[in-house]
PDB file of all heavy atoms in Angstrom:
ATOM      1  N   VAL A 873      -7.176  -7.325 -40.081  1.00 97.00           N
ATOM      2  CA  VAL A 873      -7.025  -5.930 -40.165  1.00 97.00           C
ATOM      3  C   VAL A 873      -5.483  -5.564 -40.343  1.00 97.00           C
ATOM      4  O   VAL A 873      -4.622  -6.125 -39.617  1.00 97.00           O
ATOM      5  CB  VAL A 873      -7.558  -5.214 -38.866  1.00 97.00           C
ATOM      6  CG1 VAL A 873      -7.606  -3.733 -39.181  1.00 97.00           C
ATOM      7  CG2 VAL A 873      -8.808  -5.768 -38.353  1.00 97.00           C
ATOM      8  N   ARG A 874      -5.282  -4.517 -41.078  1.00 97.00           N
ATOM      9  CA  ARG A 874      -3.999  -3.986 -41.280  1.00 97.00           C
ATOM     10  C   ARG A 874      -3.906  -2.580 -40.959  1.00 97.00           C
ATOM     11  O   ARG A 874      -4.891  -1.855 -41.414  1.00 97.00           O
ATOM     12  CB  ARG A 874      -3.387  -4.287 -42.634  1.00 97.00           C
ATOM     13  CG  ARG A 874      -1.883  -4.036 -42.839  1.00 97.00           C
ATOM     14  CD  ARG A 874      -1.428  -4.466 -44.244  1.00 97.00           C
ATOM     15  NE  ARG A 874      -2.144  -3.374 -45.108  1.00 97.00           N
ATOM     16  CZ  ARG A 874      -1.528  -2.206 -45.425  1.00 97.00           C
ATOM     17  NH1 ARG A 874      -0.354  -1.845 -44.931  1.00 97.00           N
ATOM     18  NH2 ARG A 874      -2.033  -1.595 -46.248  1.00 97.00           N
ATOM     19  N   LEU A 875      -3.083  -1.982 -40.176  1.00 97.00           N
ATOM     20  CA  LEU A 875      -2.998  -0.494 -39.774  1.00 97.00           C
ATOM     21  C   LEU A 875      -1.854  -0.019 -40.786  1.00 97.00           C
ATOM     22  O   LEU A 875      -0.735  -0.553 -40.686  1.00 97.00           O
ATOM     23  CB  LEU A 875      -2.748  -0.276 -38.535  1.00 97.00           C
ATOM     24  CG  LEU A 875      -3.913  -0.449 -37.516  1.00 97.00           C
ATOM     25  CD1 LEU A 875      -3.427  -0.157 -35.973  1.00 97.00           C
ATOM     26  CD2 LEU A 875      -5.005   0.445 -37.883  1.00 97.00           C
ATOM     27  N   THR A 876      -2.140   0.873 -41.582  1.00 97.00           N
ATOM     28  CA  THR A 876      -1.042   1.588 -42.519  1.00 97.00           C
ATOM     29  C   THR A 876       0.047   2.059 -41.635  1.00 97.00           C
ATOM     30  O   THR A 876       1.243   1.816 -41.934  1.00 97.00           O
ATOM     31  CB  THR A 876      -1.781   2.685 -43.249  1.00 97.00           C
ATOM     32  OG1 THR A 876      -2.822   2.126 -44.005  1.00 97.00           O
ATOM     33  CG2 THR A 876      -0.658   3.183 -44.383  1.00 97.00           C
ATOM     34  N   THR A 877      -0.210   2.861 -40.559  1.00 95.00           N
ATOM     35  CA  THR A 877       0.662   3.297 -39.609  1.00 95.00           C
ATOM     36  C   THR A 877       0.403   2.457 -38.335  1.00 95.00           C
ATOM     37  O   THR A 877      -0.614   2.545 -37.683  1.00 95.00           O
ATOM     38  CB  THR A 877       0.452   4.713 -39.252  1.00 95.00           C
ATOM     39  OG1 THR A 877       0.626   5.458 -40.432  1.00 95.00           O
ATOM     40  CG2 THR A 877       1.518   5.213 -38.236  1.00 95.00           C
ATOM     41  N   PRO A 878       1.354   1.582 -37.874  1.00 95.00           N
ATOM     42  CA  PRO A 878       1.054   0.843 -36.749  1.00 95.00           C
ATOM     43  C   PRO A 878       0.764   1.403 -35.568  1.00 95.00           C
ATOM     44  O   PRO A 878       1.409   2.696 -35.380  1.00 95.00           O
ATOM     45  CB  PRO A 878       2.376  -0.097 -36.593  1.00 95.00           C
ATOM     46  CG  PRO A 878       3.141   0.091 -37.897  1.00 95.00           C
ATOM     47  CD  PRO A 878       2.760   1.397 -38.590  1.00 95.00           C
ATOM     48  N   ALA A 879      -0.048   0.995 -34.689  1.00 94.00           N
ATOM     49  CA  ALA A 879      -0.463   1.662 -33.463  1.00 94.00           C
ATOM     50  C   ALA A 879       0.855   1.662 -32.549  1.00 94.00           C
ATOM     51  O   ALA A 879       1.592   0.738 -32.539  1.00 94.00           O
ATOM     52  CB  ALA A 879      -1.568   0.902 -32.781  1.00 94.00           C
ATOM     53  N   ILE A 880       1.147   2.789 -31.800  1.00 91.00           N
ATOM     54  CA  ILE A 880       2.200   2.806 -30.924  1.00 91.00           C
ATOM     55  C   ILE A 880       1.733   2.491 -29.449  1.00 91.00           C
ATOM     56  O   ILE A 880       2.569   2.541 -28.567  1.00 91.00           O
ATOM     57  CB  ILE A 880       3.198   3.946 -31.089  1.00 91.00           C
ATOM     58  CG1 ILE A 880       2.393   5.214 -30.942  1.00 91.00           C
ATOM     59  CG2 ILE A 880       3.918   4.029 -32.481  1.00 91.00           C
ATOM     60  CD1 ILE A 880       3.346   6.505 -31.060  1.00 91.00           C
ATOM     61  N   LYS A 881       0.512   2.674 -29.298  1.00 89.00           N
ATOM     62  CA  LYS A 881      -0.044   2.449 -27.833  1.00 89.00           C
ATOM     63  C   LYS A 881      -1.221   1.615 -28.016  1.00 89.00           C
ATOM     64  O   LYS A 881      -2.188   1.988 -28.846  1.00 89.00           O
ATOM     65  CB  LYS A 881      -0.385   3.852 -27.294  1.00 89.00           C
ATOM     66  CG  LYS A 881       0.296   4.075 -25.913  1.00 89.00           C
ATOM     67  CD  LYS A 881      -0.466   5.074 -25.268  1.00 89.00           C
ATOM     68  CE  LYS A 881       0.429   6.335 -25.019  1.00 89.00           C
ATOM     69  NZ  LYS A 881      -0.326   7.437 -24.316  1.00 89.00           N
ATOM     70  N   PRO A 882      -1.441   0.446 -27.402  1.00 86.00           N
ATOM     71  CA  PRO A 882      -0.403  -0.099 -26.648  1.00 86.00           C
ATOM     72  C   PRO A 882       0.842  -0.569 -27.743  1.00 86.00           C
ATOM     73  O   PRO A 882       0.494  -1.021 -28.806  1.00 86.00           O
ATOM     74  CB  PRO A 882      -1.001  -1.353 -26.030  1.00 86.00           C
ATOM     75  CG  PRO A 882      -2.324  -1.180 -26.232  1.00 86.00           C
ATOM     76  CD  PRO A 882      -2.622  -0.256 -27.382  1.00 86.00           C
ATOM     77  N   ALA A 883       2.089  -0.554 -27.255  1.00 86.00           N
ATOM     78  CA  ALA A 883       3.211  -0.902 -28.249  1.00 86.00           C
ATOM     79  C   ALA A 883       2.935  -2.214 -28.781  1.00 86.00           C
ATOM     80  O   ALA A 883       2.698  -3.167 -27.974  1.00 86.00           O
ATOM     81  CB  ALA A 883       4.538  -0.710 -27.519  1.00 86.00           C
ATOM     82  N   GLY A 884       3.140  -2.452 -30.089  1.00 86.00           N
ATOM     83  CA  GLY A 884       3.217  -3.677 -30.666  1.00 86.00           C
ATOM     84  C   GLY A 884       1.720  -4.373 -30.643  1.00 86.00           C
ATOM     85  O   GLY A 884       1.607  -5.608 -30.745  1.00 86.00           O
ATOM     86  N   VAL A 885       0.683  -3.593 -30.455  1.00 89.00           N
ATOM     87  CA  VAL A 885      -0.589  -4.205 -30.224  1.00 89.00           C
ATOM     88  C   VAL A 885      -1.080  -4.870 -31.622  1.00 89.00           C
ATOM     89  O   VAL A 885      -0.784  -4.436 -32.654  1.00 89.00           O
ATOM     90  CB  VAL A 885      -1.665  -3.121 -29.868  1.00 89.00           C
ATOM     91  CG1 VAL A 885      -2.004  -2.129 -30.936  1.00 89.00           C
ATOM     92  CG2 VAL A 885      -2.935  -3.844 -29.437  1.00 89.00           C
ATOM     93  N   ASP A 886      -1.875  -5.942 -31.605  1.00 93.00           N
ATOM     94  CA  ASP A 886      -2.400  -6.667 -32.591  1.00 93.00           C
ATOM     95  C   ASP A 886      -3.578  -5.822 -33.092  1.00 93.00           C
ATOM     96  O   ASP A 886      -4.612  -5.621 -32.394  1.00 93.00           O
ATOM     97  CB  ASP A 886      -2.880  -7.992 -32.159  1.00 93.00           C
ATOM     98  CG  ASP A 886      -3.502  -8.789 -33.379  1.00 93.00           C
ATOM     99  OD1 ASP A 886      -3.820  -8.273 -34.353  1.00 93.00           O
ATOM    100  OD2 ASP A 886      -3.855  -9.902 -33.010  1.00 93.00           O
ATOM    101  N   PRO A 887      -3.684  -5.284 -34.341  1.00 95.00           N
ATOM    102  CA  PRO A 887      -4.867  -4.562 -34.837  1.00 95.00           C
ATOM    103  C   PRO A 887      -5.996  -5.300 -34.925  1.00 95.00           C
ATOM    104  O   PRO A 887      -7.077  -4.802 -35.026  1.00 95.00           O
ATOM    105  CB  PRO A 887      -4.189  -4.025 -36.145  1.00 95.00           C
ATOM    106  CG  PRO A 887      -3.220  -4.928 -36.548  1.00 95.00           C
ATOM    107  CD  PRO A 887      -2.579  -5.405 -35.375  1.00 95.00           C
ATOM    108  N   GLY A 888      -5.895  -6.638 -34.682  1.00 95.00           N
ATOM    109  CA  GLY A 888      -7.167  -7.607 -34.647  1.00 95.00           C
ATOM    110  C   GLY A 888      -8.076  -7.131 -33.523  1.00 95.00           C
ATOM    111  O   GLY A 888      -9.256  -7.362 -33.556  1.00 95.00           O
ATOM    112  N   LEU A 889      -7.565  -6.316 -32.627  1.00 96.00           N
ATOM    113  CA  LEU A 889      -8.497  -5.893 -31.644  1.00 96.00           C
ATOM    114  C   LEU A 889      -9.517  -5.014 -32.076  1.00 96.00           C
ATOM    115  O   LEU A 889     -10.559  -4.680 -31.450  1.00 96.00           O
ATOM    116  CB  LEU A 889      -7.664  -5.294 -30.400  1.00 96.00           C
ATOM    117  CG  LEU A 889      -6.950  -3.971 -30.563  1.00 96.00           C
ATOM    118  CD1 LEU A 889      -7.691  -2.679 -30.536  1.00 96.00           C
ATOM    119  CD2 LEU A 889      -5.974  -3.842 -29.344  1.00 96.00           C
ATOM    120  N   LEU A 890      -9.408  -4.323 -33.250  1.00 97.00           N
ATOM    121  CA  LEU A 890     -10.300  -3.597 -33.909  1.00 97.00           C
ATOM    122  C   LEU A 890     -11.519  -4.297 -34.524  1.00 97.00           C
ATOM    123  O   LEU A 890     -12.679  -3.768 -34.720  1.00 97.00           O
ATOM    124  CB  LEU A 890      -9.826  -2.643 -35.019  1.00 97.00           C
ATOM    125  CG  LEU A 890      -8.647  -1.756 -34.496  1.00 97.00           C
ATOM    126  CD1 LEU A 890      -8.023  -1.033 -35.665  1.00 97.00           C
ATOM    127  CD2 LEU A 890      -9.303  -0.699 -33.520  1.00 97.00           C
ATOM    128  N   THR A 891     -11.416  -5.632 -34.561  1.00 97.00           N
ATOM    129  CA  THR A 891     -12.615  -6.449 -35.089  1.00 97.00           C
ATOM    130  C   THR A 891     -12.736  -7.651 -34.188  1.00 97.00           C
ATOM    131  O   THR A 891     -13.156  -8.661 -34.620  1.00 97.00           O
ATOM    132  CB  THR A 891     -12.214  -6.863 -36.544  1.00 97.00           C
ATOM    133  OG1 THR A 891     -10.947  -7.498 -36.583  1.00 97.00           O
ATOM    134  CG2 THR A 891     -12.281  -5.749 -37.570  1.00 97.00           C
ATOM    135  N   ASP A 892     -12.327  -7.465 -32.994  1.00 97.00           N
ATOM    136  CA  ASP A 892     -12.504  -8.609 -32.022  1.00 97.00           C
ATOM    137  C   ASP A 892     -13.874  -8.816 -31.465  1.00 97.00           C
ATOM    138  O   ASP A 892     -14.162  -9.795 -30.663  1.00 97.00           O
ATOM    139  CB  ASP A 892     -11.436  -8.705 -30.874  1.00 97.00           C
ATOM    140  CG  ASP A 892     -11.670  -7.464 -29.842  1.00 97.00           C
ATOM    141  OD1 ASP A 892     -12.512  -6.659 -30.132  1.00 97.00           O
ATOM    142  OD2 ASP A 892     -10.892  -7.308 -29.027  1.00 97.00           O
ATOM    143  N   GLY A 893     -14.819  -7.943 -31.859  1.00 96.00           N
ATOM    144  CA  GLY A 893     -16.186  -8.008 -31.429  1.00 96.00           C
ATOM    145  C   GLY A 893     -16.457  -7.651 -30.114  1.00 96.00           C
ATOM    146  O   GLY A 893     -17.688  -7.854 -29.417  1.00 96.00           O
ATOM    147  N   ARG A 894     -15.490  -7.087 -29.369  1.00 94.00           N
ATOM    148  CA  ARG A 894     -15.749  -6.593 -27.973  1.00 94.00           C
ATOM    149  C   ARG A 894     -15.346  -5.166 -27.879  1.00 94.00           C
ATOM    150  O   ARG A 894     -14.250  -4.734 -28.314  1.00 94.00           O
ATOM    151  CB  ARG A 894     -14.804  -7.394 -27.067  1.00 94.00           C
ATOM    152  CG  ARG A 894     -14.934  -7.094 -25.649  1.00 94.00           C
ATOM    153  CD  ARG A 894     -14.188  -8.201 -24.811  1.00 94.00           C
ATOM    154  NE  ARG A 894     -14.797  -8.044 -23.392  1.00 94.00           N
ATOM    155  CZ  ARG A 894     -14.606  -8.836 -22.420  1.00 94.00           C
ATOM    156  NH1 ARG A 894     -14.146 -10.118 -22.736  1.00 94.00           N
ATOM    157  NH2 ARG A 894     -15.140  -8.740 -21.207  1.00 94.00           N
ATOM    158  N   TYR A 895     -16.239  -4.373 -27.231  1.00 94.00           N
ATOM    159  CA  TYR A 895     -15.942  -2.906 -27.100  1.00 94.00           C
ATOM    160  C   TYR A 895     -14.804  -2.695 -26.028  1.00 94.00           C
ATOM    161  O   TYR A 895     -14.770  -3.474 -25.025  1.00 94.00           O
ATOM    162  CB  TYR A 895     -17.238  -2.262 -26.572  1.00 94.00           C
ATOM    163  CG  TYR A 895     -18.227  -1.916 -27.710  1.00 94.00           C
ATOM    164  CD1 TYR A 895     -19.393  -1.207 -27.485  1.00 94.00           C
ATOM    165  CD2 TYR A 895     -17.945  -2.262 -28.965  1.00 94.00           C
ATOM    166  CE1 TYR A 895     -20.317  -0.906 -28.402  1.00 94.00           C
ATOM    167  CE2 TYR A 895     -18.915  -2.074 -30.003  1.00 94.00           C
ATOM    168  CZ  TYR A 895     -20.032  -1.322 -29.817  1.00 94.00           C
ATOM    169  OH  TYR A 895     -20.965  -1.004 -30.740  1.00 94.00           O
TER     170      TYR A 895
END
Side-chain angles (χ1 to χ4, degrees):
V873 189
R874 196 177 64 82
L875 285 175
T876 308
T877 301
I880 55 174
K881 237 198 248 175
V885 68
D886 176 358
L889 62 81
L890 297 175
T891 54
D892 65 359
R894 184 166 193 163
Y895 281 181

